[in-house]
Amino acid sequence: MYPEDDFIQLSALQHFVFCKRQCALIHIEQAWSENRFTAEGKIMHDKVHEGPSETQKDTRITRGLVLHSFALGLSAKADVVEFHRTENGGNWVPFPVEYKRGKPKRDDCDKVQLCAQTLCLEEMLKVTIPCGAIFYGKTRHRLDVVFDDALRQKTIEIAKQLHVFIDAGNTPMPIYTEKCDSCSFVDECLPKPIGRKIPVKEYLQKELSKACSEPRLKRDESK
């Protein structure tokens, strides 16, 4: 069990799985960098949180529900939690829904984030939640997520690793991959020159030369 003072933002789990360096920049160094993708994501989450709670037949929709788990040492605000009435018309079963701007990822970072929200809800409400969903803005579809034993155990282990990682306070060196190109920290992180051990001066000279050689019209269209 973790004391409340040691709680970590639940979103750090997603950052940790996606990229440990990004996680360290945000949650250890307290840095933040915006780009078009993060701005669009913020707009989507603001719209979701600001929407009204409502009841539709056998479903109650709650937005911006504050979550916490002493077992995992995490706190968060859920995008949407739907409460579905059981067939006998008695109990209401929570069904968490996380909203993402892009499309489903190759790794489990989004699923781990949603599963962590579920573990928070189960601890708070003393219930068992079998499944939830992630809505992706790019595909405009929900991805159903089943909270099986494997995903639950993976989420618990990552939460433990995250606490050790944050407590250590060390920002790892970058390792360049394709996903770096869409990261809002790409200009500060410099994963290409550092991750590939290219001198920063040489990298910047190449990028400047490349920019200067582009057609004038192309540079103007990018503004």
Side-chain angles (χ1 to χ4, degrees):
M1 303 294 280
Y2 293 89
E4 195 168 349
D5 289 343
D6 291 342
F7 280 7
I8 298 172
Q9 287 180 305
L10 191 149
S11 59
L13 281 176
Q14 197 264 3
H15 299 143
F16 185 72
V17 177
F18 181 75
C19 172
K20 290 181 174 59
R21 181 171 171 84
Q22 184 198 68
C23 180
L25 290 172
I26 296 172
H27 300 281
I28 294 176
E29 299 188 14
Q30 302 296 309
W32 182 249
S33 184
E34 286 278 13
N35 66 3
R36 178 170 63 88
F37 303 125
T38 58
E40 289 176 354
K42 184 178 185 303
I43 291 171
M44 170 182 278
H45 282 89
D46 287 346
K47 286 183 178 179
V48 172
H49 290 169
E50 292 170 2
S53 297
E54 53 188 304
T55 301
Q56 301 174 355
K57 294 184 179 180
D58 292 331
T59 301
R60 292 177 179 173
I61 301 174
T62 302
R63 304 173 189 274
L65 184 64
V66 176
L67 308 176
H68 68 264
S69 168
F70 287 95
L72 299 180
L74 300 173
S75 62
K77 180 181 289 188
D79 286 340
V80 168
V81 179
E82 299 176 355
F83 290 85
H84 298 172
R85 190 192 295 271
T86 55
E87 291 184 2
N88 60 17
N91 299 326
W92 294 86
V93 179
F95 184 91
V97 183
E98 175 69 14
Y99 281 69
K100 297 292 183 183
R101 183 206 65 83
K103 59 184 179 180
K105 299 178 179 64
R106 296 177 183 177
D107 58 34
D108 287 338
C109 61
D110 294 342
K111 293 180 182 179
V112 166
Q113 182 179 1
L114 184 66
C115 185
Q117 292 181 17
T118 297
L119 295 174
C120 289
L121 282 166
E122 290 182 339
E123 182 180 321
M124 293 168 62
L125 302 177
K126 311 301 181 187
V127 296
T128 298
I129 303 172
C131 55
I134 304 170
F135 176 85
Y136 286 97
K138 195 165 186 178
T139 62
R140 305 298 299 174
H141 282 94
R142 282 186 175 188
L143 174 68
D144 291 329
V145 179
V146 176
F147 305 122
D148 57 21
D149 291 341
L151 181 57
R152 288 170 179 270
Q153 190 57 42
K154 182 175 184 177
T155 302
I156 292 170
E157 289 301 319
I158 290 174
K160 292 178 182 177
Q161 295 172 21
L162 176 64
H163 277 275
V164 173
F165 180 77
I166 297 294
D167 289 344
N170 298 320
T171 300
M173 294 293 288
I175 299 176
Y176 176 76
T177 62
E178 289 183 1
K179 62 186 180 183
C180 294
D181 295 330
S182 60
C183 177
S184 61
F185 283 100
V186 66
D187 291 333
E188 294 85 354
C189 180
L190 296 177
K192 285 186 178 180
I194 299 176
R196 293 179 176 176
K197 297 183 179 179
I198 302 172
V200 174
K201 184 177 180 180
E202 178 183 335
Y203 169 77
L204 294 175
Q205 288 176 340
K206 285 183 178 180
E207 291 297 307
L208 180 60
S209 177
K210 187 191 302 183
C212 292
S213 64
E214 291 179 351
R216 177 68 182 178
L217 179 58
K218 184 177 180 179
R219 293 205 305 272
D220 288 343
E221 288 177 345
S222 68
K223 293 180 179 178

